[in-house]
Amino acid sequence: MSESQTADHRIDARWVLPMSEGTPILENHSVIISGERIQAIVPTSEAQQRYPDIKTTQLSDHLVMPGLINAHGHASMTLLRGLGNDLPLMEWLQEHIWPAEGEFVNEEFVADGTLLAIAEMLRSGTTCFSDMYFFPETVADVAHKHGIRVQTAFPILDFPTQWGSGPEEYIEKGLKLHDRTRNSNFVNVCFGPHAPYTVSDEPLKQIATLSEQIDLPVQIHLHETAGEVTDSIQQRGLRPSKRLADLGLMTPLTQCVHMTQVDDYDLGLLKETGAHILHCPEANMKLASGACPINRLLDAGINVALGTDGAASNNDLDMFGEMRSAAFLTKLASGDAGAVPAMEILKMATINGARSMDMEDRIGSLEPGKQADLIAVDLGDILVQPVYDPAPHLVYNTNSRQVTHSWIAGEARLIDGELQKIDLHGLRGRIQQWQQRISAADRNR
Amino acid sequence: MSESQTADHRIDARWVLPMSEGTPILENHSVIISGERIQAIVPTSEAQQRYPDIKTTQLSDHLVMPGLINAHGHASMTLLRGLGNDLPLMEWLQEHIWPAEGEFVNEEFVADGTLLAIAEMLRSGTTCFSDMYFFPETVADVAHKHGIRVQTAFPILDFPTQWGSGPEEYIEKGLKLHDRTRNSNFVNVCFGPHAPYTVSDEPLKQIATLSEQIDLPVQIHLHETAGEVTDSIQQRGLRPSKRLADLGLMTPLTQCVHMTQVDDYDLGLLKETGAHILHCPEANMKLASGACPINRLLDAGINVALGTDGAASNNDLDMFGEMRSAAFLTKLASGDAGAVPAMEILKMATINGARSMDMEDRIGSLEPGKQADLIAVDLGDILVQPVYDPAPHLVYNTNSRQVTHSWIAGEARLIDGELQKIDLHGLRGRIQQWQQRISAADRNR
């Protein structure tokens, strides 16, 4: 029998799904947390002997797994969710979203919208999210203050916005933010050139050089629609993927968002360069953009992570729903009901997300030494019975409201469905004010 | 000022979405219920004057709408949900589902499975469901006892099953059930020939004749996959749709489930005959069957209703999720982000479902004289804010757990999220036993 050991917190769970290579689902196991890290995962019977006196959370009907990683989104656009639906993409953008952004986006908008997004994400099992939006300094501050992990991709475009005058200023401000947050346990910064069609060659080359020099990831919307690819071929004589590769921007640090259009050249390029795919199935469906062939990408060994995209286009930030949609869509699009089984979908929402952000050594699976970012899902509700196999149940039969607990860096963020550390009452009032102002302006246009 | 009037119950809601032709969403209105019917829908300020002293339910953050109608499913297969996932259709059926059905399906299985399904459906906003499964007498009894509306499509196949020896006995038993339930307010019976490939011409002709004589609907799986159509053309020289039409089985009483394959002939046939389509997008995606072109069908004036299909293939009975998937899928499949806007999707889940079952005069919308089948959805949760437009919010941003109340024929079935009239504790024990037995048998195969 082991001797009594020290740690801070013991979580006894009906099931633990570590999502680490080669470890299956574990029954009646405990996760032992020390400080901000996972110390061990052991059978609960053993944990009771080794850690008898530490703080204990009993989760007898629950599955404990790594916190979900939302690999792509625009958090503060949550304030614009449902502003115009069922419209062709350009009409929606030109008549609703862009005017609202032009009129309202400022630091306060980003602070309130990001906090609303964080509340929704924590409530639905996300513990780390990627963000691409204006005022990334504010996003970083809000995430840091509320203890949720963020990768903030600071935006870079050819033209001026509320946040800056052009590529030079965007890059300068972004790198300053990177310097300032270098020691944060919660904030990662990366380059966020918006898309090949909004950023010209010079800034893209500069980003490629800087990314390599300082080892910083680059997130970019790529091949979102077929039109983007044909426009590029018409205007420049080459696919956007090829253009990025020529500019030195397809590397293991590159995160390609969407990629609904993948030909053999793209597949070879992605495989050869180690660039990552961030798949956003619901936004791709709702905006009729197309279906990213994730089965072919995964078969080729390319890393595919999952994101919700912004709530303005989707219209939520629910990674459980996104997993389900990803599974459904790939089966339909490939014509194969066996394509991309549930465990692969779960990897996309956890360890593959970590890998895409170059954070695989810290998060994305439950392993000793990694950050204690984990969630509990109640599988005991009569309405989701029977549970023949818990892992696929997470993908095909779990409502995000079944998420009951989450911890980030060892600290509780959600307990029994209640958000910790977020003043929902104050937030509600501010959201109502935004809604009234944005709604009135939208009606008057 | 109107004088005080009598009624049984007044529901004051922030929004009422009647889903009746030409009536938009109403703000601060009340639904007045008398007995099992809707008496009136009036502004709450007026209701307070006219009905001051009757029982009142205040729903200040809620939207009240017709109860959802799940137009196709196999309720008791809920006991088999998650038994085998990510498998090709025939492997899944032959190695998991059919052996489990062969070993376990009996009246007790159907009673427990149907009650579990009813609990899930009531909790997620469904007040009327269609069912196609063995022992329909049991389904009818369980639905009647728990006060949920059902259309039970009694199964007809060429071969013997646990429920009967062949077409003759199936039809005899089904019509007996129809006689017995003729006066029930909750139970409708219809013919349920399984599919063109499992029922031969003679019984199909007999069903066509009987359906016309006694004015009883017919529900049949049709064109679920491309393979079904090509097989029929190869074996019989004609499409299944044409074969049914030739046998007199395409009429305004016909409910065609799935129809992922629709060519110009089919479109013309459906339009000309007035047959209905029951669309099950999630099952069609998960089983990689195809995408029913609901945009083209609706444009042609064909009635399209929505169903979840059985939880064994889907894996839940959540009509809010199904609405969202229907919207996403049609936009992607048609390449048009504007295809089938949210209000059309909401019709599919309400009035179109009623129309498909020939119950349009009784349910499917909130109108004076119709049955009081209605639900309330809490749109006040901070996590779903802002709400710019409540109707699309129901499709794109509503989690079924936001359903707080439901009434069927004027009686409460769900209050503040709590199911009435269902002994969940007793049910839980029985479900656990089924799971253990079915799971053990599945592992030993």
Side-chain angles (χ1 to χ4, degrees), chain A residues 4 42 44 56 65-66 80 90 92 99 106-107 112 171 202 207 214 219 236 248 293 308 314 321 343 410 418 436 438:
Chain A
S4 170
V42 294
T44 297
T56 301
M65 64 180 293
L80 305 177
M90 288 319 290
W92 174 64
N106 57 25
E107 288 182 41
D112 289 338
I171 291 173
E202 274 314 306
I207 293 166
I214 58 177
Q219 185 173 101
R236 301 173 185 265
T308 58
N314 175 341
M343 274 304 288
E418 295 298 321
Q436 282 161 13
I438 293 168

Side-chain angles (χ1 to χ4, degrees), chain B residues 359-438:
Chain B
M359 291 174 76
E360 193 185 350
D361 57 334
R362 296 173 59 212
I363 61 172
S365 62
L366 304 184
E367 297 180 68
K370 277 199 173 182
Q371 291 282 308
D373 290 12
L374 58 163
I375 62 172
V377 182
D378 181 2
L379 296 183
D381 188 334
I382 174 79
L383 299 185
V384 299
Q385 302 306 310
V387 180
Y388 288 105
D389 192 352
H393 215 76
L394 294 170
V395 174
Y396 297 121
N397 200 231
T398 296
N399 185 309
S400 59
R401 300 289 172 110
Q402 289 167 243
V403 175
T404 57
H405 293 70
S406 87
W407 295 268
I408 300 176
E411 280 194 37
R413 298 285 172 252
L414 186 77
I415 300 178
D416 285 327
E418 294 296 320
L419 290 165
Q420 313 293 303
K421 289 187 74 161
I422 296 185
D423 169 17
L424 288 180
H425 183 74
L427 180 61
R428 177 186 289 274
R430 298 199 299 281
I431 301 303
Q432 277 172 352
Q433 284 173 8
W434 283 114
Q435 177 178 337
Q436 283 160 12
R437 292 172 57 198
I438 293 167

Side-chain angles (χ1 to χ4, degrees), chain A residues 79 86 331 387-388 396 435, chain B residues 79 86 387-388 396 435:
Chain A
L79 285 179
D86 304 318
K331 290 174 194 305
V387 180
Y388 289 105
Y396 297 120
Q435 176 178 338
Chain B
L79 284 180
D86 304 319
V387 180
Y388 288 105
Y396 297 121
Q435 177 178 337

Side-chain angles (χ1 to χ4, degrees), chain B residues 3-25:
Chain B
E3 279 178 33
S4 171
Q5 288 183 262
T6 61
D8 294 316
H9 186 191
R10 189 182 103 204
I11 299 167
D12 298 348
R14 173 75 182 82
W15 294 281
V16 175
L17 184 65
M19 299 303 301
S20 57
E21 201 60 42
T23 311
I25 192 160

Side-chain angles (χ1 to χ4, degrees), chain A residues 4-238:
Chain A
S4 170
Q5 291 182 261
T6 60
D8 294 317
H9 186 192
R10 189 182 102 205
I11 299 168
D12 298 347
R14 173 76 180 84
W15 295 280
V16 176
L17 184 65
M19 299 304 300
S20 57
E21 202 60 40
T23 310
I25 192 161
L26 306 167
E27 290 198 59
N28 300 309
H29 269 61
S30 299
V31 181
I32 312 299
I33 297 171
S34 181
E36 66 192 25
R37 293 173 196 272
I38 295 165
Q39 179 168 321
I41 301 172
V42 294
T44 297
S45 54
E46 189 182 325
Q48 287 163 342
Q49 305 285 342
R50 282 170 57 183
Y51 308 92
D53 301 322
I54 63 175
K55 177 183 160 194
T56 301
T57 302
Q58 304 272 5
L59 298 170
S60 53
D61 285 328
H62 301 62
L63 181 146
V64 167
M65 64 180 293
L68 303 181
I69 297 174
N70 187 347
H72 178 70
H74 312 279
S76 55
M77 290 185 82
T78 303
L79 285 179
L80 305 177
R81 78 159 116 232
L83 190 73
N85 285 296
D86 304 318
L87 298 172
L89 179 62
M90 288 319 290
E91 185 182 340
W92 174 64
L93 288 172
Q94 287 171 353
E95 295 184 17
H96 298 277
I97 297 300
W98 290 342
E101 288 190 321
E103 188 166 349
F104 294 104
V105 171
N106 57 25
E107 288 182 41
E108 197 191 346
F109 176 100
V110 170
D112 289 338
T114 300
L115 185 55
L116 181 62
I118 287 173
E120 185 186 352
M121 288 192 279
L122 284 174
R123 185 63 193 83
S124 53
T126 294
T127 55
C128 175
F129 70 104
S130 183
D131 191 64
M132 185 193 281
Y133 209 64
F134 310 112
F135 304 101
E137 304 90 343
T138 304
V139 176
D141 288 347
V142 174
H144 185 89
K145 180 177 170 194
H146 293 88
I148 185 170
R149 227 174 276 282
V150 67
Q151 171 193 265
T152 174
F154 61 85
I156 302 158
L157 303 115
D158 279 348
F159 44 86
T161 66
Q162 300 91 319
W163 187 54
S165 56
E168 198 176 340
E169 190 181 355
Y170 296 134
I171 291 173
E172 187 195 319
K173 281 185 159 183
L175 291 180
K176 207 167 138 192
L177 176 62
H178 170 57
D179 278 344
R180 173 158 79 75
T181 57
R182 199 182 283 273
N183 296 317
S184 166
N185 188 24
F186 293 110
V187 179
N188 279 22
V189 172
C190 76
F191 294 95
H194 171 262
Y197 54 90
T198 48
V199 191
S200 47
D201 285 0
E202 274 314 306
L204 288 175
K205 261 193 266 182
Q206 195 192 349
I207 293 166
T209 306
L210 288 166
S211 164
E212 195 189 350
Q213 281 173 357
I214 58 177
D215 203 28
L216 217 59
V218 179
Q219 185 173 101
I220 185 164
H221 295 105
L222 188 63
H223 296 198
E224 180 167 2
T225 64
E228 177 190 336
V229 178
T230 51
D231 283 357
S232 174
I233 291 171
Q234 212 163 33
Q235 290 161 17
R236 301 173 185 265
L238 78 185

